[in-house]
Amino acid sequence: MPHKIGFVVVSSSGHEDGFSARELMIHAPTVSGWRSPKFCQFPQEIVLQMVERCRIRKLQLLAHQYMISSKVEFYISESLPEYLVPYQAERFRRLGYVSLCDNEKTGCKARELKSVYVDAVGQFLKLIFHQNHANKYNVYNQVALVAINIIGDPADLGDESNTTCREKLIDHYLGHSPHNPEDPALDGTFAGRSDYISPLDDLAFDMYQDPEVAQIIRRLDERKREAAKKERYDHAKKLKQAIADLQKVGERLGRYEVEKRRAVEKEDYDLAKEKKQQMARYRAQVYEQLELHGLLQGEPEMQRPFALPLQPLASPSSPQHWKAVSSLPRTEELAAEDTCAGPILQEKPLASSPRHSAVDRSPPAAGPAPRSHVEALPYDERPLPVTRKQLEEPSAEPEVREADSDVRRRGVSAEPEPLTEKALREASSAIDTLGEALVAGAYSKMWSCREDALLALYKRLMEMPVGTQKEDLKNMLRASVFLIRRAIKDIVTSVFQASLKLLKMIITQYIPKHKLGKLDTTYCVERAIPLLLARTGDSSARLRVMALNFIQEMALFKEVRSLQLIPSYLVQPLKTNASVHLAMSQVDLLARLLRDLGTEGSGFTVDNVMKFAVSALEHRVYEVRETAVRIILDMYRQHPALTLEHLPPDDSTTRRNLLYKAIFEGFAKIDGRPTEAEGKTQKRVVTKEAEKQKKEETKALQGLSAAPRETQAGVQEKENEAVKLKNQDPQGRKAAPPDTPEIPDNHYLDNLCIFCGERNESFTEEGLDLHYWKHCLMLTRCDHCRQVVEISSLTEHLLTECDKRDGFGKCPRCSEAVPKEELPRHIKTKECNPAKSEKVANRCPLCHENFAPGEEAWKVHLMGSAGCTMNLRKTHILCKAPAPQQGKGPMASKSGTSAPKVGSKIPTPKGGLKS
């Protein structure tokens, strides 16, 4: 049967500060969800990973009241996106899109709940948000998503690989056990259908129910199904009525919580306290009247799986214990409680199950949506009275103690027990400064006393008058840090949270207010940060997240940032015996702060970050290695050369390691170079089109008048005239033919290149064109106008003849053509090789070297094996081009006719030869 699927946020294209996409993992009345950055570029993207490969049946989106995307697209995939794991890439498959209402009819005071029915299998879901609807409230053109819900069932129930994936994401799981398809609900809505979706899995249920009550309802629902299966219909009916009543209670408590948060944001603490007390009274009254213990108690042989923070109940043998559940006070009976809350409580309770409504009419929000605690996490990790573990597990006891509500704390006026002798010796200096009563509360075995002691200390420090003696202020600070260190180790979340609140106040308010020095800030940070880092490896995911977020926040305090202390702790090598959570938290925190602080004056350097990241590549945990790869890629974007110094060479041996292969392919993408796979593909394409390209070049050259051909025709004409003069004596008689046979002089220039001296039978009219165009060692093509010119005259061409000649200038030191935007720096650095006069030496524009003067020296330099190393044509032709014979080349004709001067421009038809 389809049920709610847990998920984690893998990545997002960006978010506004305080509105991370990770908020989407929480479903509660006080969550604010995800918001895009202000004035962001569209589309925006979020990638979710589900706890297992599943078949999605239904998607639900709860849109913001005025930050509304015009369209949301859905994509699904079986594996990670390409930019996260390059060597495990798979394209996302598009499922479709939904359009969202612009909300003008409601005046942007209602939030749309969109339900989409799909049938798709995968583990990764990508949402793409398009341009926002414009309205007067959305001044920064943002889009937002308050919540998303995924409903489906596992795709491979027998696949053991899913177990590993679930173990990886267990800390983020939403905490809802799937319904057993073999236990059908016997109420009228189910009717035995396997595709039935429970209303308790609907997004509207979680978003408007108090989380504690929602968990109780779910457990009662399971009890109801079990009772119906065992034909205990009276008990099932009793549970059904209790569920219906509890839904109204949960909605009212959820509304109270929202109002309490709004009062805190407005700093109306009297109203907030009143709301808190009102919630406690109402919750205690409801629990007592429902007699929840009796309802949740199973068969005699079953153990009771809950420890609830209730007022003392009547004995089970008393008549009151079994009074009807229908005595639960209705909304009308409790109306008297609303009067003390003022006009804020004028709203009516929400419908118990608005899942069929397209638009969810939430209470109008006059300001920003109420902020949820960053540390809020899935339900099974919250300090709720209903836990998923049995009481016989020792690890569950701290959670049970932590779950005690304010009702219980006020029901018993507990005083902290006296300090032991050991505690007196240990805290003697703190007792002298703060008093024994406060320290005794901090050492108490009751977590409520410990929390109250920290809050009392917070208040005392805030009330310290300006002008107090420095010595007293410093003693107060050191005593407070002593108690903070003890509270940071506390297993109770509220005590731990109170210690973080006190530490933040000391650093950001107490020290600046009383103008204490950096040494005092350093003292606070150095005493607290090792313990906070240790808590990032805690077994409780909630405590881990709280510690991580606080360390990141503290590192960004202006008072702490300048000290550069926290980065020095994070770049310490990972210990081999450290817990998995601790290693993951350290590398994740380093990646976060590296993005926030950078490497300029932050305590992070390329050297210490790269040493840490390279060592983390060898860690046994996959998530640590993956985060290390991301850190290295981030460092390469900022400091490519320094990053490469810490990595092995990019060769086939190194690429056998998949991590290094992913790193080097990531480098290629950052540089805009083709990756190894793309290079192989391009090579195959080039091989297939080689012949086609050669034919196209030959065909293109046939339609052009080759400039070298005109030069050779002129030389041929002069040779013919010289032959005629030679065959006549001074009296006009013909000379006797020579005794030795030789090549007729009038055919000497046939099949000969007049520039490099190569003779080849393939040098026909078209063959010479191709030779000049691609192979002649004395010629080159201008990269800017594609005209074929002699290498010796390339500099003159760029300065006077090229189509792009306005973009070049002449360097007075090396006499070469340099792009004008680079010319000032080129002249200033004086790194070029100085040129010599033409009588002393020639200057090569390819290798920038000076060599012997004269025209023959050009051929030796450009064609010889020891000559120019930058002539790219030489590597292809030198092995097959025969050296020209002395006296037979175009530079020394027997007839006295000389070839065109080497170094001059080749005569070309109008426009020259261009590709």
Side-chain angles (χ1 to χ4, degrees), residues 710-723:
E710 294 183 354
T711 303
Q712 186 151 345
V715 175
Q716 180 77 25
E717 185 177 350
K718 293 181 180 180
E719 277 296 316
N720 293 337
E721 294 177 359
V723 170

Side-chain angles (χ1 to χ4, degrees), residues 227-287:
K229 181 179 178 181
K230 294 181 179 181
E231 299 184 357
R232 298 176 56 197
Y233 300 122
D234 290 337
H235 189 58
K237 180 180 178 181
K238 189 177 181 180
L239 289 170
K240 180 180 178 182
Q241 180 63 43
I243 290 172
D245 293 333
L246 273 176
Q247 285 183 344
K248 299 177 182 178
V249 171
E251 289 168 4
R252 171 170 290 196
L253 288 173
R255 189 168 67 253
Y256 286 169
E257 180 67 25
V258 172
E259 292 165 354
K260 184 183 75 174
R261 295 288 177 86
R262 288 179 181 170
V264 172
E265 289 178 358
K266 297 177 181 178
E267 299 186 355
D268 187 352
Y269 299 116
D270 292 334
L271 179 59
K273 181 179 179 180
E274 183 180 353
K275 287 295 175 186
K276 182 178 179 181
Q277 294 173 349
Q278 184 178 6
M279 290 174 63
R281 290 196 303 269
Y282 186 34
R283 193 187 302 272
Q285 181 181 4
V286 170
Y287 286 174

